[in-house]
Short mmCIF file of all heavy atoms in Angstrom, two decimals:
data_model
loop_
_atom_site.label_atom_id
_atom_site.label_comp_id
_atom_site.label_asym_id
_atom_site.label_seq_id
_atom_site.Cartn_x
_atom_site.Cartn_y
_atom_site.Cartn_z
N ASP E 21 118.18 115.97 247.00
CA ASP E 21 118.68 116.47 245.71
C ASP E 21 118.18 117.91 245.53
O ASP E 21 117.14 118.29 246.08
CB ASP E 21 118.15 115.63 244.54
CG ASP E 21 118.67 114.21 244.57
OD1 ASP E 21 119.81 113.97 244.14
OD2 ASP E 21 117.94 113.36 245.07
N VAL E 22 118.98 118.73 244.70
CA VAL E 22 118.60 120.10 244.46
C VAL E 22 118.72 120.34 242.94
O VAL E 22 119.71 119.96 242.32
CB VAL E 22 119.44 121.10 245.23
CG1 VAL E 22 119.12 122.52 244.78
CG2 VAL E 22 119.32 120.87 246.76
N ILE E 23 117.70 120.93 242.42
CA ILE E 23 117.76 121.40 241.00
C ILE E 23 117.80 122.91 240.97
O ILE E 23 116.88 123.57 241.60
CB ILE E 23 116.53 120.87 240.23
CG1 ILE E 23 116.60 119.39 240.04
CG2 ILE E 23 116.45 121.59 238.85
CD1 ILE E 23 115.30 118.81 239.42
N VAL E 24 118.79 123.49 240.34
CA VAL E 24 118.93 124.96 240.24
C VAL E 24 118.51 125.34 238.83
O VAL E 24 119.24 125.09 237.87
CB VAL E 24 120.37 125.45 240.54
CG1 VAL E 24 120.51 126.92 240.45
CG2 VAL E 24 120.79 124.95 241.95
N ALA E 25 117.33 125.92 238.73
CA ALA E 25 116.74 126.28 237.43
C ALA E 25 116.45 127.80 237.43
O ALA E 25 115.37 128.25 237.34
CB ALA E 25 115.42 125.52 237.23
N THR E 26 117.57 128.57 237.50
CA THR E 26 117.46 130.06 237.61
C THR E 26 118.02 130.78 236.40
O THR E 26 118.57 131.83 236.50
CB THR E 26 118.26 130.49 238.82
OG1 THR E 26 119.60 129.99 238.78
CG2 THR E 26 117.60 129.98 240.09
N ASN E 27 117.83 130.23 235.18
CA ASN E 27 118.35 130.78 233.92
C ASN E 27 119.88 130.63 233.86
O ASN E 27 120.34 129.94 233.07
CB ASN E 27 117.89 132.25 233.78
CG ASN E 27 118.13 132.78 232.37
OD1 ASN E 27 118.78 133.77 232.21
ND2 ASN E 27 117.65 132.09 231.36
N LEU E 28 120.65 131.43 234.66
CA LEU E 28 122.04 131.16 234.83
C LEU E 28 122.17 130.70 236.33
O LEU E 28 121.65 131.36 237.19
CB LEU E 28 122.86 132.40 234.60
CG LEU E 28 124.33 132.21 234.80
CD1 LEU E 28 124.90 131.23 233.71
CD2 LEU E 28 125.13 133.53 234.67
N PRO E 29 122.82 129.55 236.56
CA PRO E 29 122.93 129.10 237.95
C PRO E 29 123.45 130.16 238.87
O PRO E 29 124.45 130.85 238.55
CB PRO E 29 123.90 127.86 237.83
CG PRO E 29 123.70 127.42 236.40
CD PRO E 29 123.42 128.60 235.59
N ILE E 30 122.82 130.30 240.10
CA ILE E 30 123.29 131.28 241.04
C ILE E 30 124.56 130.79 241.75
O ILE E 30 125.15 131.53 242.53
CB ILE E 30 122.16 131.59 242.06
CG1 ILE E 30 121.73 130.29 242.78
CG2 ILE E 30 121.03 132.28 241.41
CD1 ILE E 30 120.81 130.50 243.90
N LEU E 31 124.97 129.50 241.51
CA LEU E 31 126.08 128.98 242.23
C LEU E 31 127.36 129.18 241.44
O LEU E 31 127.47 128.80 240.26
CB LEU E 31 125.84 127.52 242.45
CG LEU E 31 124.50 127.10 243.09
CD1 LEU E 31 124.43 125.62 243.19
CD2 LEU E 31 124.33 127.78 244.45
N ASP E 32 128.41 129.74 242.05
CA ASP E 32 129.60 130.14 241.32
C ASP E 32 130.52 128.96 241.02
O ASP E 32 131.39 129.08 240.18
CB ASP E 32 130.43 131.20 242.14
CG ASP E 32 129.66 132.52 242.21
OD1 ASP E 32 128.90 132.81 241.27
OD2 ASP E 32 129.94 133.26 243.18
N GLN E 33 130.33 127.81 241.71
CA GLN E 33 131.21 126.74 241.51
C GLN E 33 130.93 125.86 240.31
O GLN E 33 131.61 124.89 240.02
CB GLN E 33 131.27 125.83 242.80
CG GLN E 33 129.99 125.03 243.02
CD GLN E 33 129.05 125.71 244.01
OE1 GLN E 33 128.90 126.88 243.95
NE2 GLN E 33 128.42 124.92 244.89
N GLY E 34 129.91 126.21 239.49
CA GLY E 34 129.48 125.37 238.43
C GLY E 34 130.28 125.38 237.17
O GLY E 34 129.75 125.62 236.04
N LEU E 35 131.61 125.13 237.27
CA LEU E 35 132.41 125.06 236.06
C LEU E 35 132.26 126.28 235.19
O LEU E 35 132.24 126.15 233.93
CB LEU E 35 132.18 123.75 235.29
CG LEU E 35 132.58 122.45 236.00
CD1 LEU E 35 132.25 121.25 235.17
CD2 LEU E 35 134.06 122.47 236.43
N PHE E 36 132.06 127.45 235.75
CA PHE E 36 132.06 128.65 235.02
C PHE E 36 131.01 128.72 233.93
O PHE E 36 131.31 128.98 232.70
CB PHE E 36 133.45 128.98 234.46
CG PHE E 36 134.54 128.90 235.46
CD1 PHE E 36 135.51 127.97 235.44
CD2 PHE E 36 134.62 129.86 236.47
CE1 PHE E 36 136.51 127.92 236.39
CE2 PHE E 36 135.58 129.82 237.47
CZ PHE E 36 136.55 128.84 237.45
N PHE E 37 129.76 128.39 234.25
CA PHE E 37 128.69 128.52 233.21
C PHE E 37 128.62 129.93 232.70
O PHE E 37 128.35 130.10 231.52
CB PHE E 37 127.37 128.14 233.88
CG PHE E 37 127.26 126.67 234.17
CD1 PHE E 37 127.16 126.17 235.47
CD2 PHE E 37 127.30 125.73 233.15
CE1 PHE E 37 127.07 124.85 235.79
CE2 PHE E 37 127.18 124.35 233.45
CZ PHE E 37 127.08 123.94 234.76
N PHE E 38 128.95 130.91 233.55
CA PHE E 38 128.94 132.31 233.02
C PHE E 38 129.99 132.62 232.05
O PHE E 38 129.96 133.57 231.29
CB PHE E 38 129.06 133.29 234.24
CG PHE E 38 130.29 133.04 235.11
CD1 PHE E 38 131.50 133.52 234.69
CD2 PHE E 38 130.17 132.40 236.29
CE1 PHE E 38 132.67 133.29 235.47
CE2 PHE E 38 131.28 132.21 237.13
CZ PHE E 38 132.52 132.67 236.69
N ALA E 39 131.05 131.71 231.92
CA ALA E 39 132.05 131.86 230.91
C ALA E 39 131.78 131.11 229.64
O ALA E 39 132.42 131.30 228.64
CB ALA E 39 133.42 131.48 231.51
N LYS E 40 130.85 130.14 229.71
CA LYS E 40 130.49 129.28 228.58
C LYS E 40 129.18 129.72 227.89
O LYS E 40 128.69 129.14 226.96
CB LYS E 40 130.40 127.83 229.02
CG LYS E 40 131.71 127.31 229.59
CD LYS E 40 131.64 125.78 229.91
CE LYS E 40 130.83 125.50 231.15
NZ LYS E 40 130.92 124.07 231.55
N THR E 41 128.58 130.79 228.45
CA THR E 41 127.37 131.33 227.88
C THR E 41 127.48 132.89 227.96
O THR E 41 128.35 133.40 228.62
CB THR E 41 126.14 130.92 228.66
OG1 THR E 41 126.27 131.37 230.06
CG2 THR E 41 125.93 129.42 228.66
N TYR E 42 126.58 133.56 227.29
CA TYR E 42 126.53 135.00 227.51
C TYR E 42 125.03 135.44 227.51
O TYR E 42 124.18 134.78 226.88
CB TYR E 42 127.28 135.78 226.42
CG TYR E 42 126.67 135.80 225.05
CD1 TYR E 42 125.77 136.78 224.65
CD2 TYR E 42 126.95 134.78 224.09
CE1 TYR E 42 125.18 136.79 223.38
CE2 TYR E 42 126.37 134.80 222.87
CZ TYR E 42 125.48 135.76 222.51
OH TYR E 42 124.93 135.79 221.24
N PRO E 43 124.68 136.50 228.19
CA PRO E 43 123.29 136.93 228.34
C PRO E 43 122.85 137.83 227.20
O PRO E 43 123.45 138.81 226.94
CB PRO E 43 123.29 137.70 229.69
CG PRO E 43 124.67 138.28 229.77
CD PRO E 43 125.58 137.33 229.12
N LYS E 44 121.80 137.41 226.53
CA LYS E 44 121.23 138.20 225.43
C LYS E 44 119.85 138.70 225.79
O LYS E 44 119.01 137.94 226.24
CB LYS E 44 121.20 137.37 224.18
CG LYS E 44 120.83 138.20 222.89
CD LYS E 44 120.91 137.32 221.64
CE LYS E 44 120.52 138.20 220.41
NZ LYS E 44 120.66 137.40 219.15
N ARG E 45 119.62 140.00 225.54
CA ARG E 45 118.35 140.63 225.80
C ARG E 45 117.62 140.90 224.48
O ARG E 45 118.20 141.22 223.47
CB ARG E 45 118.58 141.92 226.58
CG ARG E 45 117.28 142.44 227.21
CD ARG E 45 117.57 143.23 228.47
NE ARG E 45 116.34 143.36 229.21
CZ ARG E 45 115.85 142.47 230.06
NH1 ARG E 45 116.53 141.42 230.22
NH2 ARG E 45 114.72 142.68 230.68
N SER E 46 116.29 140.72 224.49
CA SER E 46 115.47 141.00 223.30
C SER E 46 114.16 141.61 223.74
O SER E 46 113.83 141.65 224.92
CB SER E 46 115.25 139.71 222.46
OG SER E 46 114.66 138.70 223.27
N TYR E 47 113.42 142.15 222.79
CA TYR E 47 112.29 143.03 223.06
C TYR E 47 111.07 142.54 222.27
O TYR E 47 111.18 141.99 221.15
CB TYR E 47 112.63 144.46 222.68
CG TYR E 47 113.84 144.93 223.42
CD1 TYR E 47 115.14 144.60 223.09
CD2 TYR E 47 113.67 145.62 224.62
CE1 TYR E 47 116.26 144.96 223.80
CE2 TYR E 47 114.83 146.04 225.37
CZ TYR E 47 116.06 145.73 224.97
OH TYR E 47 117.13 146.05 225.75
N ILE E 48 109.89 142.80 222.89
CA ILE E 48 108.62 142.31 222.32
C ILE E 48 107.55 143.45 222.39
O ILE E 48 107.49 144.12 223.49
CB ILE E 48 108.12 141.02 223.01
CG1 ILE E 48 109.20 139.97 222.97
CG2 ILE E 48 106.80 140.55 222.39
CD1 ILE E 48 108.87 138.78 223.96
N ILE E 49 106.78 143.61 221.37
CA ILE E 49 105.69 144.52 221.47
C ILE E 49 104.40 143.68 221.02
O ILE E 49 104.46 142.71 220.28
CB ILE E 49 105.82 145.71 220.51
CG1 ILE E 49 106.07 145.29 219.03
CG2 ILE E 49 106.93 146.67 220.97
CD1 ILE E 49 106.07 146.44 218.07
N GLY E 50 103.26 144.13 221.54
CA GLY E 50 102.02 143.47 221.21
C GLY E 50 101.00 144.50 220.76
O GLY E 50 100.86 145.54 221.32
N ALA E 51 100.28 144.13 219.71
CA ALA E 51 99.21 145.05 219.15
C ALA E 51 98.11 144.23 218.56
O ALA E 51 98.23 143.15 218.04
CB ALA E 51 99.84 145.87 218.03
N MET E 52 96.83 144.69 218.77
CA MET E 52 95.71 144.08 218.27
C MET E 52 95.79 144.13 216.68
O MET E 52 96.14 145.12 216.15
CB MET E 52 94.42 144.71 218.74
CG MET E 52 94.18 144.58 220.23
SD MET E 52 94.21 142.87 220.83
CE MET E 52 92.72 142.22 220.03
N ILE E 53 95.32 143.04 216.06
CA ILE E 53 95.42 142.97 214.61
C ILE E 53 94.08 142.40 214.12
O ILE E 53 93.53 141.49 214.72
CB ILE E 53 96.62 142.18 214.08
CG1 ILE E 53 96.74 142.26 212.56
CG2 ILE E 53 96.57 140.75 214.56
CD1 ILE E 53 98.04 141.71 212.05
N ASP E 54 93.63 142.84 212.96
CA ASP E 54 92.47 142.27 212.25
C ASP E 54 92.72 140.84 212.01
O ASP E 54 93.69 140.51 211.25
CB ASP E 54 92.13 143.10 211.02
CG ASP E 54 90.93 142.61 210.27
OD1 ASP E 54 90.39 141.50 210.62
OD2 ASP E 54 90.45 143.33 209.39
N PRO E 55 91.89 139.86 212.54
CA PRO E 55 92.16 138.51 212.26
C PRO E 55 92.29 138.18 210.75
O PRO E 55 93.01 137.21 210.39
CB PRO E 55 90.92 137.78 212.86
CG PRO E 55 90.54 138.72 213.93
CD PRO E 55 90.79 140.08 213.46
#
C-alpha cells in the first residue's frame, strides 16, 4: 500500500484534486512579548 501525504497529491490521476481545491498562502511573524 502507498499513502501520498504531500499537501496536494503529486499524482495527476487523482480525480483532479487540483480542480477541487485551491492553494492559499498566508504569513506569520513572531515577536517576544511581556508575559
Side-chain angles (χ1 to χ4, degrees):
D21 297 279
V22 176
I23 292 173
V24 180
T26 54
N27 192 235
L28 181 65
I30 58 172
L31 310 179
D32 291 334
Q33 68 264 39
L35 293 182
F36 307 113
F37 290 115
F38 55 78
K40 297 185 287 189
T41 61
Y42 72 90
K44 185 173 182 179
R45 195 151 195 84
S46 54
Y47 301 80
I48 304 167
I49 56 173
M52 296 303 294
I53 188 171
D54 182 345

